[in-house]
Amino acid sequence: MAGTGKAHLRPAEDALLRVEDLVVEFGIGRTGLKVNAVSGISFDVLPGETLGIVGESGCGKSTTGRAIMQLPRANSGSVVFDGRELTTLQGEELRAVRTKIQMIFQDPISSLNPRRKVRDIVMEPLGIWNRGDKEQQGAAVDKVLEEVGIDPKRAAESLPHQFSGGQCQRISIARSLVLEPRLIICDEPVSALDVSVQAQVINLLEDLKKAHGLTLIFIAHDLAVVKNISDRVAVMYLGKLCEIGPSEGLYARPAHPYTKVLLDSIPVPDPNAPVGKVAVEGEPPSPVNPPTGCRFNPRCPSASDRCRSEEPTLREIESGHFVACHHPLFGGEAPVTVRTA
Amino acid sequence: MTTENNSAGDETTVARKKLGFGFWLCVTWLALMAFIALFTPLLPLKSPTSNFIDSAQGRPPYAPSWKHWFGTDKDARDVFARTLYGARISLTVGFSAITAGFLIGGTVGVLSGYFRGWIDRVSSFVFVVLLSFPSLVLAILLTSLIERSLLTVSLVLGLLSIAPVGRLARAATLQYADREFVLAARQIGAKDRRIIVKEILPNVAIPMSSLALLGMAVAVVAEGGLAFLGLSVEKGITWGGLIQLGSDASKTLEKAPWISFFPIMMLFLTVLSLNFAGDRLRTYFDVKEMTL
Amino acid sequence: MSTNDRNEIEPLIETVELRTHFRTPRGIARAVDGISIHVRRGQSLGVVGESGSGKTVLSRSMMGLLPRNGVIREGSVRYGGNEIGGRSPKEMREVWGREMAMIFQDPMTSLNPVMKVGKQVTESLRLHLGMSSSEAFAVAEKIFRDVRIPEPTRRLDQYPHELSGGMRQRVMIAIALACGPNMLFADEPTTALDVTVQAQILELLSEQIRDRNMSMLLVTHNLGVVAGYTDEIAVMYGGKVVERAPTKTLFSNVKMPYTEALLQSIPRLDQPSHSRLAMIPGRPPDLVNPPAGCRFAPRCAYARDRCRTEEPPLVAAETPGHVYACHFPVGSPEYQERKVELSRSTAGAR
C-alpha cells in the first residue's frame, strides 16, 4: 500500500512513540462497505514534545489517537512506545502499558461515571493497580486534585454533574495524571468548552506538562488552539498525512494547499482582516470511497493529472518541515518517482 | 493554580427534587404489607380457618361488626384474618418471581449488553422466543400441569419475567457501555469484571430498581389471576382465591359484598403502591443533570 | 425616498427592557434580564457571549419561540413598530416565515428526518404564501440554486441523512429564506460545521443578506465570526448586555474588561506557540442567584468595592453608537492603576 512516506521520522531510539504505516478500517454493519479511517500514516513523538494533529471531520485524527492506545487495535501497522511494540502485546502486558499512556476525551461530562463521587473516580486507577494503601492513595489523589484546581473535599462529596464542563475536564486530567504516565493523548479536550474556560485548560495542560515532564499528543480541529500548545503539528486529510513540521514554520509558511485552505478559512477576530474569498469549494468526501491519487485532488486549486493518479509521499522542504504534495506552495515540484514493476 | 471559588452558587446545596409525600406513603403501605406477610402467625388475629358460627346472628355470611372487622364469609370464617393471611402468599410469590427474573434475566441482559457478540445473539434469540408466548396462557398451562407449591408457582412467574427484565437490562447496559467513561476505565487498565461492577451496574441499577417495583406489581396481579382460576398455591389462602370465593355464581357479590371487597382493596392498594413508587423512582432519577 | 430614510432610522426590530425568566426547581433563573437592543433594516447585529450569557434565550424570546410553561416574560419586543412580545404561537405564525426566520446550530436535529428536504421548503411556501405545489417546487429549486446546493432538482427529493452537514445547513438557510423574510435570526449557524465549510456558509449568508437587504441577528460565541460578518456587536454576560458597539470600534476601542479579557483569551494564529493565554478565572454566574452589583465582578481582575455593590448602568463612550456597563472601564485611571499592580505581581512571581 502506497503510504505517505517516512522521510519525516527521526531516529527510532530517540522517539518515545513511533507509529508506522498505521491503517484503521471499519466495516459498516452488513453493507460490506469499509470506512478507510486511517490509511497508512507514520509519525513519531520525542520525549517532552507536544505533537498537534489537526484536520476536519473524517480525517481520522481521533481514530489515530485511539489506535495508539490499541482501543481498538489498528488493522495493520506498528506502534512502538518506549521501545515496545504495542500491536502485538496481549492481555496483562498490554494492560500494564496502559498505565504509561493515558487519554483525555472531548466530552467532559460523559468521560466521568455519573454515579460515582469524583474523588473515587480519580482514585480508581490507583485501586486497580494497588499503588499503596488507602491512605497513601487518598493523599496522592488530593495532591493531584489540588494541582488541577479542584477542591478535594468537594470532590469527595460530589458527583460529576455538580461540576461545570471545565471542572469536569480538569477532573479527567487529574485521573490521567494519577498513574504518572509518560504520554497523554488529548482528543479534542477543549472543543466542548467555553472560550474563557478553554484558556484555563490549555494553560493547565502546559503547566502540568512542565511539572511532570509529560509528552503530549493534542488532537483538535481548532488550528489556533493547536498552534498555541504544540511544538510540532501534523495536518491530516481523509486518513492521510498532508504536512508535518514545527508549529511556527508550518503556520507561517504552509506548504500543502490543504493546510493553506484550513488557515485561510479561519475567521479572524479582527474586523479589518479581509473576508469573503472562500478558500475552497465542496466538503470532505466520505472516507468510504476516497479519491485515487492524492486524496485532496478533487478540491485542490493546484491539482494536476499527476495528482489524480499518483499519491504523493512526504518529503522535506525545509528543516524539519515535510509535505506530501506534488505541487506544494513552496519547495519545488515533487521529483518523479521511478515505478518498479 | 488556585482552587476555583464556587462563587456562582454551590450546587451541592441544590434543593433536590424530592421523592414526594406520595412516594413515602406508598413505601409505608408496602412496608406494612411486608410486615404483615412476615409476621401473620404472630399477630393477635382470629384463626383464618376456624368457623365462627354465631347462632344469635343466624346463617353466615355475617356483615362487618366489632367482632369481625371485615365480616365473615359463607362458612363463617373471619375475612379480616383471611385477608391478612392472603398477603403472605401473594406477596411472597410476587417478590420471589421478580427476584428470580432479575437474577437470571438481569445478569444475562447486562452481559449481553456489555460483551455483545455471540452472547448477545443467543440471549436475544432466547428472549424473543420467551416473549412470543402469551404469558398468562403459558402461566395457566404450566401451573395446571405441575404440583402447585409456593416455590413452583414463583418459578413459573419468574420464568415469564426473565425476558422483559433481560431486555431492559441489556438496553440500559448498551446505553452506558459506549460512553466515554467506560472507555476511560478500560484505558486506565480496569478488567471487564471491574468495569461491569463498578462502572456499569451503578448506572443500570437505577432504571432496574424502578422496573423491580413495577415488575412486582405485575407478578402480584398475575398471581391474583391464577388464584382466581384456582391455579395458585394448593390449599393456600390467596387474595385471588378470596376474591373468587366472594364472587361465585350464587349472587354472593350482591348479598355479601364484603367478602370480596376487602381482598380486592388490599390487592388494589398494594399494586397501586408498587406502581406509583416505581414510577416516582424513575422520574426522580431522570432529573440528574441540570442544564439551562 | 423619505420612506426609505425612515426605514433606515427606525429599527426593524427592537426590544425594550426585555426579561425572560425561567422557573426552575432551584428558583427563578434570570436568563435575559433587561435587554434593550435594536436592529435596523439591512444591518447585522452580532450577539456574543458564552454559555449562560442568555444569548440563545434572547433570540428565542425575540422570535417568540419560548416554551409555554414556566416562563415569565416582561418588557416588550417590537417588530416594524408593532408589539409582538406577548403574542401566542397562533398569532406569531403570521410573522414567522414571512417576516422573521431562524436558522439553528445543528441542522441534523432541526430538519425533519422523515420528510424530504424539498417538501420542507415547499411546506413553508405553501403555508405562508399560499402557493400551489408546482409553484412552490419551482421556487424551492431556485432557492436551492441560490444557496449553492449542487444538482438542486435531485436534492429536492432527498432526505436529510443523505446530505452532508454543510448541505443540510444550506437547506436550513433555504427554508429560512424561502418566504423572503426581512429579519433572520442565526443561532450559532456554523458551530457544528468543519472550518472550511463554516467559511462557505458564512460567505453564503452574508451574500444573501446583502442581496435581499435583510437584517440579521447573529448569535455566536466565536469572536472571529462576528468580526467579519456583522456591523454591530452586543456582548452579553449573565443575562445582560455589557457592551455594544459598531464592530470595528469594539475591537479597537474595547471598554468593558470582560470583553477585553475575552479577546485576550482566544489563541490567535499570529501569536507564537506556547504563548500564555490570558485566563478568566472562575465560572459564568449563577442565573438564579446572580452576584450583587456587576455580574462580572467576581471574576474581574479590575473589580473594586463599588463593582460588588452597585450595578453599572450602560453609558455612552466617545465614539457614537458605543455603550458599555462598567464603573472602571479600560483606559480609566483606576484600570491603569490596577494594571500596573498586576504586572508588578506577575513579574515578582517569576
Side-chain angles (χ1 to χ4, degrees), chain A residues 260-268 278-280, chain C residues 195-199:
Chain A
K260 179 129 197 339
V261 157
L262 275 183
L263 290 170
D264 286 345
S265 304
I266 303 174
V268 177
V278 170
V280 72
Chain C
V195 76
T196 51
V197 181
Q198 259 194 43

Side-chain angles (χ1 to χ4, degrees), chain A residues 120-186:
Chain A
D120 294 334
I121 293 176
V122 180
M123 194 139 57
E124 179 78 358
L126 296 175
I128 294 174
W129 294 100
N130 287 315
R131 299 257 175 106
D133 60 30
K134 271 283 182 252
E135 223 182 274
Q136 290 168 322
Q137 288 180 2
V141 166
D142 289 343
K143 180 156 170 280
V144 82
L145 281 172
E146 275 171 2
E147 219 181 325
V148 302
I150 299 279
D151 176 17
K153 270 195 296 299
R154 196 168 157 229
E157 311 164 334
S158 311
L159 299 174
H161 71 88
Q162 293 169 289
F163 290 90
S164 70
Q167 288 175 314
C168 283
Q169 205 59 304
R170 293 165 195 259
I171 295 166
S172 293
I173 294 174
R175 174 177 58 191
S176 64
L177 281 178
V178 105
L179 286 176
E180 293 168 5
R182 294 197 61 196
L183 171 68
I184 298 188
I185 302 176
C186 310

Side-chain angles (χ1 to χ4, degrees), chain B residues 61-196:
Chain B
Y62 304 135
S65 64
W66 274 116
K67 254 199 331 187
H68 298 280
W69 290 355
F70 285 3
T72 72
D73 63 9
K74 287 197 293 193
D75 294 329
R77 291 178 292 195
D78 183 42
V79 175
F80 183 66
R82 285 171 70 77
T83 307
L84 293 195
Y85 268 84
R88 302 195 87 191
I89 293 182
S90 301
L91 290 180
T92 311
V93 169
F95 181 76
S96 315
I98 205 71
T99 305
F102 262 68
L103 284 176
I104 303 173
T107 311
V108 173
V110 169
L111 293 177
S112 312
Y114 183 78
F115 287 110
R116 314 294 289 279
W118 67 265
I119 302 181
D120 192 19
R121 282 197 287 271
V122 167
S123 68
S124 295
F125 178 74
V126 170
F127 288 160
V128 164
V129 167
L130 278 174
L131 286 168
S132 308
F133 291 101
S135 37
L136 198 60
V137 171
L138 187 64
I140 294 171
L141 197 66
L142 288 173
T143 47
S144 57
L145 292 174
I146 54 170
E147 238 189 71
R148 292 187 294 279
S149 69
L150 200 60
L151 180 68
T152 52
V153 174
S154 301
L155 283 179
V156 167
L157 290 179
L159 179 75
L160 293 171
S161 67
I162 288 176
V165 169
R167 278 173 63 149
L168 190 87
R170 176 182 177 274
T173 306
L174 279 177
Q175 210 186 4
Y176 292 104
D178 280 338
R179 294 268 291 269
E180 274 159 353
F181 69 86
V182 171
L183 184 60
R186 211 170 276 134
Q187 60 106 2
I188 55 179
K191 292 198 218 179
D192 286 324
R193 195 174 72 161
R194 191 182 177 112
I195 296 179
I196 293 178

Side-chain angles (χ1 to χ4, degrees), chain A residues 4 223 234-238 240-245 249-264 293-303 307 311-315 317 321-332:
Chain A
T4 35
L223 284 104
V235 180
M236 283 184 72
Y237 183 80
L238 219 55
K240 296 267 182 200
L241 210 48
C242 298
E243 188 168 357
I244 183 168
L250 193 137
Y251 279 73
R253 287 174 302 282
H256 199 287
Y258 178 61
T259 313
K260 179 129 197 339
V261 157
L262 275 183
L263 290 170
D264 286 345
C294 169
R295 291 190 176 183
F296 187 56
N297 84 68
R299 301 167 76 200
C300 182
S302 334
C307 304
E311 200 183 309
T313 50
L314 282 160
R315 60 193 172 91
I317 42 167
H321 188 172
F322 298 79
V323 69
C325 180
H326 297 305
H327 318 290
L329 298 168
F330 70 96

Side-chain angles (χ1 to χ4, degrees), chain A residues 102-121:
Chain A
Q102 286 293 297
M103 197 159 185
I104 302 170
F105 305 91
Q106 177 172 359
D107 185 353
I109 312 252
S110 118
S111 321
L112 305 173
N113 187 333
R115 302 237 57 86
R116 296 187 71 183
K117 300 268 194 301
V118 162
R119 192 166 177 268
D120 294 334
I121 293 176

